[in-house]
Amino acid sequence: MTHFHSKRLPRRGVVVAAVAGLLASLGLGAAGEAGAAPPPGPAASRWTDQAHGFASLAGGTTGGAGGKVVTVTDQASLAKYAAAEEPYVIRVAGSIAVQPFGAEIVVAPDKTLIGVGDSGEIVHGELNLKPGTHNVIIRNLTIRDSAVEGDWDCKDTDFDGIQMDTVHHVWVDHNRFSNICDGQLDVRKNSEYVTVSYNRFENNNKTFGLGWTTDVRTQITIDHNWFRNTKQRNPSVDNAAYAHLYNNYLTAQADPGDPVWTYGNWSRGRTKMVIENSYYRDVQHPYQADATAELVERGSVLRNTTGRHDEWGAAFDPRDFYAYRLDPAAAVPALVTRLSGPQRRIGDAVTLRVPADYPTVQAAVDAVPVGNSVPVTVAVAPGTYREKVFVPATKPKILLQGTGQDRSDTVIVYDTPAAYGGSTGSATVRIAASDTTARNLTFSNDFDEAAHELNGEQALAVKTTGDRIVFEDTAFLGNQDTLMTDSPKLDVISRVYIRDSYIEGDVDFLYGRATTVVERSVIRALSRGSDTNNGYITAASTWTGNPYGFLITRSRIVSDAPAGTFHLGRPWHPGGEPNAVAQVLIRETELPAAVKAAPWTDMSGFSWRDARFAEYRNHGPGATVTADRPQMSEADARDHTVAHYLKGTDDWAPYARH
């Protein structure tokens, strides 16, 4: 089968060429200092859940990807899942106060810990990664208040925010650390392939330290972090093989009567450190290096700094290891103050990748928690997935997103006819959940009806029963009963919005009782080789109490069937149900010559004249007006728009997003 490509125009890349443009695009105001920004490189987006820097190398850091998603609200659940042997994406909702004060939450390999929204917190406790731990992501959390009153140096306690010893592949991103007794973040004892990005470090003495080893093995990227009201270790880096610091913002140092140990970045031991385009304001000893270490600094801005500004040795070139986005130093204060720390944009969503993290689409859906309350994206890479997919009613707010350039790049297909499982059982994809969206995908049932003689040749590509379902830039491929939009029972109204899409079939291939809008789409009526009757586009079974069934608007119906051989629809009364009275309006749509002059017809003894069929301002060779073609009046048409069909009692307006 063939189908049309999306009518959407391709997006063009945007290159930000100046600091002012960069800040304006982020709504950050003026930079205050001029400076050109290079075009963004191939580095990851600020919001992606893909690790960058050193954590992206040597196999990368994926955390709990591939495991189930769980949401925790108490210490017992957090400790249970964090220490589990299997991978988990652990979402921390609200504030979790750890007992006893300063206690450890042990984090095992293959975990993602992420705050829900921007209010996930761990209070009075420490996340601890024991030796051998690997592949851990910690994002979007606030870790705070394990400081001991009156014990500024914390010599007798070891209450860190996050402590890791001899680990590898860890990404610490978009967290806030505040008022921790000892180190807010300690990366110790030969830990490798670590990235620390977009965090806020504030209100602390010994802030961020690396080392506690005589070996020189650690590779670490530290970017876009904000150090504010911190005294020392911002960071201190001892015996690291490679330490790349860029676009960090250091300001407002704490100095409780001890200026000697108040400093910014320190390259210690045999560390090789590169600092790029950072911003130092009101900082003593902004960057310094031991005689045995190396430190290369370039492009940074210094305002009201005193003390050491050491630079010696060749260090290394970070671009020999990875690509990265280097923002202009002048933009760093505005960028980092807004974009560091927990962000709702990160905490309000989860992305599950197929097949990178989950082998099938169904496996990713299975990983979504029952009663899911946050958006989850199932990102499906280009390819053909021969599987059946079921999204149960207990798993709302899922986005099925094809990641190819075109919807035809990503296909979910199976070949079950109704003879082997009934109409519902034939569906390649079945969506029972509400608030589900599918985008940039092709759904297909490739059962070959011409090659089989069966009693039930209906073969659905998709069946929906949930409410507030959206299909954007999607294709539905099949023959009989391609797409069924339904509801849980006759008098329950479900709504489906289909836009910029493609639907093909021959018999009743757009049908059901859901209120369904098809807008700006192409509908292909396939020929069955008949000179008189090649099929029916719609078969609505709208509840008589529902004024809105199917609306096809501003679309194109195309066909290679002979002229005058296709019906626009017929009224379906499942099981002879008298209260299923079809409502279909086709308005402002192009009709082909294949449409019959009398395009509505009876079904199973029910007259089409008793249904609610109408047209309004259609055009094209098949859009003639006859006595057998009811035309909607101007007055009624004003009450039969996309908005009227979808509004419901909750003012649902998915079309307004475009």
Side-chain angles (χ1 to χ4, degrees), residues 77-124:
S77 298
L78 173 60
K80 169 188 171 183
Y81 290 115
E85 292 185 3
E86 60 268 39
Y88 276 102
V89 176
I90 305 166
R91 299 180 58 75
V92 179
S95 184
I96 296 178
V98 174
Q99 297 293 334
F101 190 95
E104 297 177 352
I105 301 293
V106 175
V107 182
D110 304 320
K111 300 295 182 296
T112 294
L113 278 70
I114 184 168
V116 175
D118 57 5
S119 59
E121 292 189 324
I122 296 173
V123 185
H124 310 322

Side-chain angles (χ1 to χ4, degrees), residues 372-400:
N372 175 55
S373 61
V374 298
V376 174
T377 297
V378 175
V380 188
T384 298
Y385 299 83
R386 183 160 287 276
E387 60 172 304
K388 296 171 81 76
V389 177
F390 174 52
V391 183
T394 55
K395 298 189 176 187
K397 299 186 178 180
I398 292 177
L399 165 62
L400 301 174

Side-chain angles (χ1 to χ4, degrees), residues 175-219:
N175 301 290
R176 181 173 75 92
F177 300 86
S178 180
N179 199 34
I180 303 297
C181 187
D182 194 29
Q184 294 190 330
L185 174 60
D186 280 358
V187 180
R188 315 186 334 165
K189 301 178 182 177
N190 303 320
S191 295
E192 296 188 83
Y193 298 108
V194 179
T195 295
V196 178
S197 55
Y198 289 95
N199 300 284
R200 292 189 179 193
F201 297 92
E202 59 191 31
N203 307 322
N204 223 71
N205 179 11
K206 294 177 287 187
T207 308
F208 176 9
L210 295 92
W212 293 270
T213 178
T214 57
D215 298 327
V216 184
R217 290 173 51 182
T218 297
Q219 312 91 349

Side-chain angles (χ1 to χ4, degrees), residues 287-583:
Y287 42 85
Q288 58 186 313
D290 291 353
T292 54
E294 299 181 30
L295 192 156
V296 170
E297 183 282 321
R298 48 181 174 257
S300 298
V301 171
L302 295 97
R303 294 289 179 267
N304 192 31
T305 63
T306 60
R308 295 175 63 174
H309 301 70
D310 299 339
E311 298 182 55
W312 51 67
F316 66 102
D317 185 352
R319 295 194 189 277
D320 288 343
F321 295 90
Y322 52 79
Y324 57 98
R325 179 206 312 270
L326 189 61
D327 291 312
V332 164
L335 280 169
V336 171
T337 54
R338 175 172 176 180
L339 301 181
S340 64
Q343 305 282 318
R344 291 198 65 88
R345 182 170 178 178
I346 294 172
D348 281 345
V350 177
T351 299
L352 311 180
R353 290 181 173 79
V354 180
D357 302 325
Y358 300 85
T360 64
V361 178
Q362 187 64 57
V365 172
D366 290 344
V368 177
V370 170
N372 175 55
S373 61
V374 298
V376 174
T377 297
V378 175
V380 188
T384 298
Y385 299 83
R386 183 160 287 276
E387 60 172 304
K388 296 171 81 76
V389 177
F390 174 52
V391 183
T394 55
K395 298 189 176 187
K397 299 186 178 180
I398 292 177
L399 165 62
L400 301 174
Q401 172 75 59
T403 62
Q405 293 295 311
D406 190 272
R407 64 189 175 217
S408 61
D409 294 340
T410 310
V411 181
I412 303 174
V413 57
Y414 216 72
D415 60 353
T416 304
Y420 306 144
S423 182
T424 296
S426 77
T428 298
V429 175
R430 187 156 59 97
I431 300 173
S434 296
D435 298 303
T436 302
T437 297
R439 184 181 298 136
N440 200 39
L441 290 164
T442 292
F443 303 106
S444 175
N445 191 321
D446 63 355
F447 168 69
D448 187 352
E449 63 178 21
H452 297 82
E453 289 291 337
L454 296 174
N455 192 30
E457 292 190 351
Q458 301 92 333
L460 281 64
V462 172
K463 177 178 179 177
T464 70
T465 51
D467 188 26
R468 296 183 301 272
I469 294 175
V470 176
F471 295 100
E472 297 176 321
D473 194 18
T474 51
F476 306 87
L477 310 183
N479 291 108
Q480 184 171 351
D481 293 7
T482 304
L483 173 60
M484 183 182 190
T485 55
D486 215 31
S487 67
K489 59 181 182 178
L490 180 63
D491 58 356
V492 172
I493 298 175
S494 293
R495 292 158 295 172
V496 178
Y497 180 55
I498 303 168
R499 183 165 181 167
D500 296 318
S501 294
Y502 173 85
I503 307 166
E504 71 172 26
D506 47 36
V507 174
D508 305 333
F509 62 94
L510 184 55
Y511 77 113
R513 62 176 168 242
T515 294
T516 304
V517 172
V518 181
E519 184 178 26
R520 292 192 343 197
S521 296
V522 173
I523 298 170
R524 177 175 287 276
L526 300 175
S527 175
R528 293 187 295 166
S530 173
D531 293 329
T532 57
N533 181 12
N534 279 290
Y536 318 86
I537 293 171
T538 67
S541 55
T542 319
W543 175 45
T544 187
N546 182 5
Y548 302 115
F550 280 87
L551 170 63
I552 298 171
T553 181
R554 295 194 298 162
S555 295
R556 291 178 60 215
I557 298 176
V558 299
S559 182
D560 57 358
T565 63
F566 234 101
H567 297 87
L568 292 178
R570 55 183 182 170
W572 181 38
H573 292 256
E577 172 58 62
N579 290 319
V581 182
Q583 194 280 322

